Amino acid sequence: MSEPVTLLLDVPSGWSGHWAGPLREYLPHARLIGQEDAAAEAARIDYLVTFRPRKGLLASLANLKAVFCLGAGVDGILADPDFPRDLPLMRFVDRSLSRELAQYVVMHVLIFHRGQRYFDAAQAMNKWRQRPLVRRTEDTRIGILGLGEIGTMCAERLRDLDFVVTGWSRSRKSVAGVESFAGAGELAPFLARSDILVCLLPLTAETLGILNAKTFALLPKGAFVINAARGGHLVEADLVDAIDRGHLAGATLDVFQHEPLPAESVLWNHPKITVTPHIAAITDPRAAARAISEGVAAIERGEPAPHRVDIARGY
Ligand code: NAP
Ligand code: GLV
């Protein structure tokens, strides 16, 4: 009989219960190792399950067959200089994750579009202040940076609410009712027609700092920005400057240069910025365990696992 495979679940101990149950359910014959036993078991670990590996961990795992990322974005793993460039890396792709992110994006688009902050402020003063929409829905153009798994579902949901939706990606897309812009050459015209800009790109060498002063200057005056991708996409000082000068109307940010967002960050108390703590879409442990079990089974059969990351491309 073949040896059971060994998986290292690299999540802080407070979270391991959350993930371990579903992994045991979907991989009943595997040996599941927690962070606390990683050093003692290093040579026997076949598969690493992680989101942002602790420094030095990858270097200590000499016999890894593959890494499974607990999230959609693999930047935290690829940033580790010890990640072997030829090792299979799988990311998490699931309808449940896209759906959660689409809910987050739709909610924050609507909070801005419907002027909800104005009504919250009026309620706080016991004031009955009626006001029409600032811009009609069918005249509101939403631009989505990144028309991949998640961006596409967001685009479809917003299109179904009658917004004018466009998407920007590397390759041209065909999504019903959504205009597709592709490549660096089409970024400027895409931005020029984005009253609300939503970032759902992976963080790569090409997209690092893409939300910067130059980008904001290309957006129409009064545009609103939602960043639910990675903090590295945004030059935070440029955003605050563009809002304070009145060029941008405001922003919703779920991700930050430094997480947790430091208590002294000006973003916390900015009156036109909404801050959420990287919760736009949280991986469902059962869905992740199912995907990992399918990936492990494929690799053990000598086949490629689904959702393998193209390391050279970075996503
Ligand atoms: P995906 O399916 O890989 O889609 C990425 C999209 O970005 C693709 O359309 C791709 O274009 C485009 N893209 C990549 N590099 C580009 C470039 N240089 N220029 C133009 N377009 C480029 O990724 P996903 O599953 O939708 O996830 C997107 C990101 O969301 C993740 O990487 C992660 O950072 C973030 N995320 C955040 C949360 C949260 O809670 N805040 C949760 C989940 C995910 P092509 O299609 O042409 O390749
Ligand atoms: C979360 O940030 C993810 O990448 O899934």
Side-chain angles (χ1 to χ4, degrees):
M1 218 171 90
S2 59
E3 283 280 297
V5 299
T6 302
L7 264 82
L8 170 59
L9 176 59
D10 177 42
V11 293
S13 54
W15 283 86
S16 62
H18 189 65
W19 298 101
L23 279 169
R24 285 204 183 91
E25 182 187 336
Y26 279 95
L27 287 150
H29 305 299
R31 292 179 67 238
L32 193 59
I33 305 293
Q35 271 186 345
E36 60 288 357
D37 295 321
E41 295 279 351
R44 300 181 61 189
I45 289 163
D46 301 302
Y47 297 100
L48 172 64
V49 177
T50 187
F51 183 63
R52 222 175 273 284
R54 287 168 296 124
K55 202 162 180 278
L57 176 65
L58 275 162
S60 73
L61 307 175
N63 296 315
L64 272 186
K65 294 182 187 173
V67 176
F68 290 90
C69 181
L70 284 170
V74 293
D75 47 290
I77 297 170
L78 293 181
D80 190 323
D82 295 324
F83 177 80
R85 293 341 242 182
D86 54 352
L87 190 67
L89 167 63
M90 271 59 67
R91 69 190 196 94
F92 181 57
V93 175
D94 193 71
R95 186 177 168 79
S96 60
L97 193 76
S98 304
R99 187 182 58 216
E100 270 204 35
L101 230 162
Q103 288 173 358
Y104 179 92
V105 168
V106 168
M107 177 170 78
H108 288 280
V109 161
L110 291 178
I111 288 172
F112 171 67
H113 178 63
R114 306 276 319 193
Q116 185 58 40
R117 283 182 151 225
Y118 172 87
F119 298 114
D120 289 343
Q123 181 180 356
M125 296 182 292
N126 296 15
K127 296 282 186 202
W128 183 268
R129 288 194 173 149
Q130 293 181 322
R131 193 180 81 163
L133 283 184
V134 171
R135 189 186 279 118
R136 294 168 70 235
T137 303
E138 47 274 69
D139 295 334
T140 301
R141 302 162 301 176
I142 302 180
I144 301 186
L145 288 165
L147 214 47
E149 296 286 343
I150 295 172
T152 300
M153 190 185 280
C154 290
E156 290 169 342
R157 299 279 199 263
L158 292 163
R159 171 205 66 197
D160 291 347
L161 288 171
D162 289 344
F163 290 102
V164 180
V165 185
T166 59
W168 182 71
S169 42
R170 222 143 65 140
S171 52
R172 198 162 313 280
K173 304 293 176 193
S174 174
V175 181
V178 175
E179 194 178 345
S180 164
F181 288 71
E186 295 184 11
L187 180 59
F190 162 84
L191 292 170
R193 48 168 304 158
S194 296
D195 300 311
I196 300 176
L197 181 71
V198 181
C199 182
L200 289 169
L201 288 164
L203 184 63
T204 66
E206 287 177 20
T207 65
L208 180 77
I210 192 167
L211 300 174
N212 58 39
K214 223 170 118 190
T215 309
F216 299 144
L218 292 166
L219 292 172
K221 187 168 163 50
F224 188 80
V225 172
I226 298 176
N227 186 17
R230 285 291 182 264
H233 288 123
L234 174 67
V235 182
E236 291 172 357
D238 289 2
L239 175 77
V240 172
D241 180 60
I243 295 174
D244 289 348
R245 282 187 299 100
H247 181 64
L248 294 182
T252 290
L253 306 176
D254 185 53
V255 286
F256 303 90
Q257 288 282 349
H258 301 287
E259 294 183 8
L261 182 63
E264 63 277 14
S265 169
V266 297
L267 299 172
W268 281 114
N269 298 311
H270 194 290
K272 293 184 175 167
I273 296 177
T274 295
V275 166
T276 56
H278 200 147
I279 47 68
I282 295 175
T283 297
D284 171 44
R286 295 195 84 248
R290 188 176 56 232
I292 292 166
S293 71
E294 287 167 5
V296 167
I299 294 171
E300 292 297 315
R301 287 195 303 267
E303 294 167 12
H307 307 303
R308 184 169 173 175
V309 171
D310 178 338
I311 306 292
R313 217 175 51 159
Y315 65 99

